[in-house]
Amino acid sequence: MGKPTGFIEFERQHERYEAPVARLKHYKEFVFALSDEAAGVQGARCMDCGIPFCNNGCPVNNIIPDFNDLVYRQDWRQAIEVLHSTNNFPEFTGRICPAPCEAACTLGINEDPVGIKSLEHAIIDKAWSEGWVKPQPPAHKTGKRVAVVGSGPAGLATAQQLARAGHDVTVFEKNDRIGGLLRYGIPDFKLEKWLIDRRVRQMEAEGVTFRTSVFVGREATPSFVNNAARETVTPDQLLGEFDAVVIAGGSETPRDLPVPGRELAGVHYAMEFLPQQNRVDAGDSLADQIKATGKRVVVIGGGDTGSDCVGTSNRHGAKSVMQFELLPRPPEAVDVPLVWPYWPTKLRTSSSHEEGCERDWSVATKRFEGKNGKLEKLVAARIEWKDGKMQEVPGSEFEIKADLVLLAMGFVAPVATVLDAFGVDKDPRGNVRASTEGDKSYATSVDKVFAAGDMRRGQSLVVWAIREGRQCARAVDQYLMGSTVLPR
C-alpha cells in the first residue's frame, strides 16, 4: 500500500516530456521514465483503500498495490516479478496503454490518481537495464505443436505462454517484421520498435519460431498486406501440421467515409499513412510514401489513431493540421464520484495535440471536392444530436481547404478473408464467435481452432489483447493436455 500517509503528503509525480520544438525533429520516444526516487514517491501515494479497484480497472488484473509498495520500498527485483506475473509485455503497456487502472484508482476520487502507468514503465525499464529479464524455456517439452496466426500483442502473449508450457509454437505473420499493429500501427515516437525486437529474441530463446511474410488464407496475398507476403499457407495445411491453431490478428478493416469525392487523390485511410512512416523509420525506401509535408491536413476521427496521424503529420512538416470529430466536445472536467471507477468521457489532449493541431467537434463531412482528380477542399456541416439521432444544423455548411485527408474513424472488423478461409462462425459485427467462459473458452466453431484479441472481441486496447492472449493460451493448454497450470 506504499506509505500510510503518502497520499496526503505527496503530489503525483509526472514523467517528463521532451519539448515539442525538439521532439518534432525526430521519430524517437520523448517520454522520460521516472527516476528511482520519483518512482518511490509515486509508489508511496498508493493508499490502503481496502478494495483495490485498480486491479479490476486493469484488463490483465495487474497486482498494482503490491508493485506500488515494492517500488516505494525500492525492491525493484520483486516488483518486476509481480508485474510479470500478470503482464507479459509491460514495456508496451507502460508506454501506450491509456491506463484505465488510474481511472479506477480510489485516490482519484478527490485527488490526482497514483501514476500507475509511469511505475509500470519505470519497473520494466529498470528490469531490462539490470539484466533481470531472462528467457524462461520450459523444463520439459510436451511434443504438441501450436500455430499462432498474427504477431500482435495477442499473438505474442499466446505464443509466449504456450512455449513456456512446453509446446512447440510457430507464429505466422503476413508482414515482413514481427509485431502486428504494434509494429505498423503505433508510431515510433510512442513505441520504438527495438522494444519488440528485444522481446522476440527472448521468445526465440524460449523456443518460439517466427515465420514472417507468410499469409494464412486460401487466396493470393490480398491488398491489405503492407508489403506482399512471399508465401501463402492454407488453414488446411496448418490444421494438418499442428495440434491447435490460434488466430490472433488485429481488427484491420477500417471504417470508410462513403461521401462524394472519396476517390480523389489525397484521401487516405490512416492505416495507409501511418505504417509507411514506420517502414521508413525502419530503414525501408518507399518511392510513393504519403507525405504531409507542406500540406493542409485534415484528420477525421478523434481517437488515438487520429492523434497518431496528427503527430506524424507535424513531424512531416505539415502546413496546418485540423482534426474533426463527429461527436460533441467532451467536458474538460467530470463528476468523478458519479463515474468512478469507470473510464470517464472527458476532453483528452494528447502529446500530439500539444505539438500543434486545431480541433473541432460535432462536424460531419459531406463531400470532398477537387480538380483533375486531386483533392482541394472538404465540405462539412455542423451537427447536433436529438433523441439519439444525428441531425445537420440548418445553414451550418462550411468548407475548408485540404490537400490531405486522413480517415481515422476506427476499425469495424477483422479482415474477412482470413476468417472465411478458416470457416469459423462470426458474430453480428464480423468478429470470430468464441466465448471466454466454460470448458471451450476461446474455441471457435472449427475443431482445433481458437481465437483471441481483436479477431474475437473487435478493435480494442493493447492491454486487452495481452489479457486475451494469456487466457487463450490457458484454454489451448487445457485442450491439448487435459489440464493446465497456466494462469487465467
Side-chain angles (χ1 to χ4, degrees), residues 250-384:
S251 184
E252 294 184 286
T253 303
R255 181 173 284 108
D256 204 352
L257 186 59
V259 298
R262 170 64 178 88
E263 75 286 351
L264 290 171
V267 183
H268 299 276
Y269 289 123
M271 290 306 294
E272 294 176 290
F273 175 69
L274 295 173
Q276 290 188 351
Q277 185 58 52
N278 288 348
R279 291 187 176 281
V280 171
D281 293 340
D284 293 353
S285 296
L286 300 180
D288 56 351
Q289 183 185 2
I290 303 167
K291 295 283 286 186
T293 310
K295 295 180 180 178
R296 294 161 295 194
V297 180
V298 178
V299 178
I300 300 178
D304 288 341
T305 303
S307 173
D308 293 343
C309 289
V310 170
T312 302
S313 296
N314 280 324
R315 281 162 178 76
H316 282 182
K319 183 177 181 179
S320 64
V321 182
M322 168 67 79
Q323 186 176 26
F324 288 145
E325 170 59 64
L326 190 67
L327 297 174
R329 179 187 175 107
E332 295 192 20
V334 296
D335 186 350
V336 176
L338 181 66
V339 299
W340 176 88
Y342 301 107
W343 183 252
T345 298
K346 67 177 183 178
L347 181 64
R348 302 178 191 277
T349 300
S350 72
S351 59
S352 292
H353 294 139
E354 293 170 351
E355 294 162 1
C357 174
E358 289 187 64
R359 303 159 76 185
D360 204 352
W361 289 265
S362 297
V363 174
T365 301
K366 298 185 69 174
R367 63 186 180 275
F368 303 114
E369 295 183 0
K371 291 181 181 178
N372 301 319
K374 186 177 180 180
L375 174 72
E376 289 187 337
K377 63 182 178 181
L378 175 154
V379 179
R382 302 285 172 188
I383 61 168
E384 57 185 358

Side-chain angles (χ1 to χ4, degrees), residues 136-429:
Q136 300 177 35
H140 305 284
K141 302 289 283 187
T142 65
K144 301 291 186 180
R145 306 189 67 199
V146 182
V148 177
V149 180
S151 69
L156 292 177
T158 303
Q160 185 165 64
Q161 292 296 96
L162 288 172
R164 290 176 175 178
H167 306 303
D168 291 313
V169 182
T170 301
V171 177
F172 294 85
E173 170 57 50
K174 66 180 183 295
N175 288 307
D176 59 343
R177 297 179 178 95
I178 294 298
L181 292 175
L182 288 174
R183 173 78 64 176
Y184 289 126
I186 305 294
D188 283 42
F189 56 79
K190 290 174 66 175
L191 179 73
E192 292 185 28
K193 306 316 177 210
W194 62 267
L195 294 162
I196 304 172
D197 298 333
R198 185 172 62 181
R199 277 294 181 181
V200 168
R201 290 192 294 271
Q202 180 200 35
M203 292 174 65
E204 288 175 332
E206 293 171 347
V208 178
T209 299
F210 292 95
R211 291 182 60 184
T212 57
S213 299
V214 178
F215 173 67
V216 176
R218 296 191 184 280
E219 304 169 1
T221 307
S223 59
F224 64 82
V225 177
N226 287 324
N227 74 319
R230 296 187 300 269
E231 180 183 357
T232 298
V233 173
T234 68
D236 290 341
Q237 287 175 286
L238 292 186
L239 292 170
E241 185 177 348
F242 293 90
D243 299 293
V245 176
V246 178
I247 46 179
S251 184
E252 294 184 286
T253 303
R255 181 173 284 108
D256 204 352
L257 186 59
V259 298
R262 170 64 178 88
E263 75 286 351
L264 290 171
V267 183
H268 299 276
Y269 289 123
M271 290 306 294
E272 294 176 290
F273 175 69
L274 295 173
Q276 290 188 351
Q277 185 58 52
N278 288 348
R279 291 187 176 281
V280 171
D281 293 340
D284 293 353
S285 296
L286 300 180
D288 56 351
Q289 183 185 2
I290 303 167
K291 295 283 286 186
T293 310
K295 295 180 180 178
R296 294 161 295 194
V297 180
V298 178
V299 178
I300 300 178
D304 288 341
T305 303
S307 173
D308 293 343
C309 289
V310 170
T312 302
S313 296
N314 280 324
R315 281 162 178 76
H316 282 182
K319 183 177 181 179
S320 64
V321 182
M322 168 67 79
Q323 186 176 26
F324 288 145
E325 170 59 64
L326 190 67
L327 297 174
R329 179 187 175 107
E332 295 192 20
V334 296
D335 186 350
V336 176
L338 181 66
V339 299
W340 176 88
Y342 301 107
W343 183 252
T345 298
K346 67 177 183 178
L347 181 64
R348 302 178 191 277
T349 300
S350 72
S351 59
S352 292
H353 294 139
E354 293 170 351
E355 294 162 1
C357 174
E358 289 187 64
R359 303 159 76 185
D360 204 352
W361 289 265
S362 297
V363 174
T365 301
K366 298 185 69 174
R367 63 186 180 275
F368 303 114
E369 295 183 0
K371 291 181 181 178
N372 301 319
K374 186 177 180 180
L375 174 72
E376 289 187 337
K377 63 182 178 181
L378 175 154
V379 179
R382 302 285 172 188
I383 61 168
E384 57 185 358
W385 296 82
K386 291 184 177 180
D387 300 323
K389 296 180 180 180
M390 182 181 71
Q391 299 180 14
E392 181 177 334
V393 176
S396 67
E397 185 174 299
F398 67 96
E399 64 181 47
I400 179 173
K401 293 181 179 179
D403 307 301
L404 176 63
V405 168
L406 300 171
L407 306 180
M409 303 174 295
F411 303 86
V412 296
V415 177
T417 308
V418 177
L419 305 190
D420 292 344
F422 277 95
V424 296
D425 289 346
K426 291 182 280 189
D427 66 19
R429 295 185 300 160

Side-chain angles (χ1 to χ4, degrees), residues 8 13 19 34 46 62 81 123 225 227 276 280 322 347 435:
I8 300 173
Q13 304 294 299
L34 296 176
C46 186
N62 279 336
E81 294 296 325
I123 292 168
V225 177
N227 74 319
Q276 290 188 351
V280 171
M322 168 67 79
L347 181 64
S435 172

